[in-house]
């Protein structure tokens, strides 16, 4: 792959096309190296291809995702974190992410992300291109030059985490709507799988969003602690599917 790989990723790539790597992927699709960037982008909802491919990446960024909240030299201010998250959610907006990070941004004192902040500039590029392509790579190089490698890794991890959240939330909502409207013939197997696997977690997120509406602004240390606590259930859900994706996709990110 020509896309940047987060620090710490140790998965070896082998010379097999993605269509050979998993029985869950449509074998009528061309090999990934022959696909256009538009076809490679993660869309608003999961497909089997993007679900399995991106979960190897989500697994690899979990340490940096946590570090963005609590590890010295990697940690970012709550204002920066929520500015990145809110910016990421402007493309293929997810109501779960809007509720959660809209409230966390309010609690952190963010009224509106500053579009000139280097972290927001990168998040904008990442959101538009789903984290892949030369524009995102160039934007990441600029981010490193502005804030340093360690904090740039944290910003990139936050962007991948929000991509996971919004794509999963949108897939769950779409599946729910089709079930409620009895549009069962329009359901895909990946929709049903994502709803069954991640549905309980996102139900909890929905309840949490309601509770956060009555919370006041909080100090930076408390905001960091909240972020670390919220990281745990996400990680516990991502890790099993990430490991399964490595097996099915041979670690290709």
């Amino acid at each position: 792959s020509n896309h940047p790989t987060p620090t710490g990723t140790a998965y070896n790539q082998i010379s097999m096309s993605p269509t050979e790597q998993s029985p869950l992927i449509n074998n009528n699709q061309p090999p990934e190296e022959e696909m256009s960037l538009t076809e490679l982008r993660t869309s608003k909802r999961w497909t089997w291809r993007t679900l399995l491919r991106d979960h190897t990446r989500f697994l690899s960024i979990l340490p940096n995702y946590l570090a963005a909240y609590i590890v010295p030299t990697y940690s970012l201010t709550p204002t920066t974190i929520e500015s990145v998250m809110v910016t990421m959610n402007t493309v293929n907006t997810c109501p779960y992410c809007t509720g959660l990070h809209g409230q966390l941004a309010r609690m952190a004192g963010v009224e509106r992300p500053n579009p000139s902040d280097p972290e927001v500039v990168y998040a904008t590029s990442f959101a538009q291109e789903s984290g892949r392509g030369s524009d995102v790579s160039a934007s990441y190089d600029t981010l490193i030059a502005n804030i340093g490698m360690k904090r740039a890794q944290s910003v990139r991890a936050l962007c991948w985490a929000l991509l996971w959240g919004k794509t999963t939330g949108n897939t769950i909502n779409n599946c729910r709507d089709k079930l409620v409207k009895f549009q069962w013939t329009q359901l895909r197997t990946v929709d049903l799988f994502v709803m069954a696997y991640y549905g309980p977690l996102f139900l909890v997120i929905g309840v949490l969003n309601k509770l956060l509406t009555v919370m006041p602004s909080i100090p930076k240390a408390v905001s960091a602690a909240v972020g670390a606590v919220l990281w745990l259930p996400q990680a516990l859900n991502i890790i099993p599917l990430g490991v399964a994706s490595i097996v099915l996709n041979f670690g290709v990110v």
Side-chain angles (χ1 to χ4, degrees):
S1 173
N2 293 325
H3 312 305
T5 303
T7 301
T9 301
Y11 310 136
N12 294 321
Q13 298 186 10
I14 65 175
S15 56
M16 294 178 66
S17 73
T19 55
E20 295 173 307
Q21 292 162 9
S22 171
L24 298 175
I25 295 175
N26 181 358
N27 287 321
N28 293 322
Q29 292 181 340
E32 189 158 300
E33 60 269 19
E34 297 178 8
M35 298 174 71
S36 69
L37 182 58
T38 299
E39 292 173 306
L40 286 172
R41 289 192 185 107
T42 302
S43 59
K44 188 170 184 176
R45 294 183 292 138
W46 291 121
T47 64
W48 279 119
R49 174 187 287 275
T50 57
L51 181 79
L52 297 176
R53 179 196 65 190
D54 287 357
H55 270 75
T56 61
R57 179 65 61 94
F58 300 147
L59 179 65
S60 72
I61 60 90
L62 284 174
N64 281 114
Y65 180 22
L66 179 61
Y69 291 96
I70 62 172
V71 178
T73 74
Y74 286 87
S75 61
L76 306 167
T77 66
T79 299
T80 298
I81 290 172
E82 295 310 325
S83 292
V84 167
M85 295 306 212
V86 169
T87 300
M88 274 293 300
N89 196 41
T90 58
V91 177
N92 291 334
T93 301
C94 161
Y96 295 99
C97 299
T98 299
L100 179 61
H101 291 288
Q103 292 304 321
L104 291 176
R106 174 189 60 78
M107 292 161 62
V110 178
E111 292 185 5
R112 184 177 302 172
N114 184 346
S116 64
D117 286 347
E119 299 90 350
V120 173
V121 171
Y122 174 72
T124 301
S125 175
F126 192 109
Q128 292 170 345
E129 304 297 333
S130 295
R132 289 181 160 82
S134 58
D135 289 348
V136 179
S137 297
S139 183
Y140 186 63
D141 290 340
T142 302
L143 181 66
I144 293 173
N146 280 304
I147 68 172
M149 175 67 79
K150 292 181 177 180
R151 288 194 166 89
Q153 289 172 353
S154 296
V155 172
R156 182 168 60 181
L158 291 172
C159 290
W160 280 113
L162 205 285
L163 181 68
W164 163 81
K166 68 180 181 179
T167 311
T168 302
N170 286 329
T171 302
I172 289 172
N173 278 355
N174 183 269
C175 181
R176 179 203 62 199
D177 291 345
K178 284 183 168 60
L179 288 171
V180 170
K181 295 175 182 177
F182 297 100
Q183 298 172 340
W184 298 348
T185 58
Q186 298 179 28
L187 288 167
R188 305 169 301 161
T189 56
V190 67
D191 298 329
L192 294 169
F193 172 80
V194 171
M195 185 159 190
Y197 187 83
Y198 280 123
L201 173 63
F202 276 72
L203 177 61
V204 172
I205 292 173
V207 173
L208 177 62
N209 289 349
K210 297 295 184 182
L211 296 176
L212 288 177
T213 60
V214 298
M215 293 291 291
S217 298
I218 54 178
K220 291 181 178 180
V222 176
S223 183
V226 169
V229 169
L230 293 176
W231 174 89
L232 181 59
Q234 295 175 65
L236 291 176
N237 278 264
I238 289 171
I239 288 171
L241 189 51
V243 172
S245 296
I246 293 172
V247 174
L248 293 169
N249 225 25
F250 292 93
V252 177
V253 179

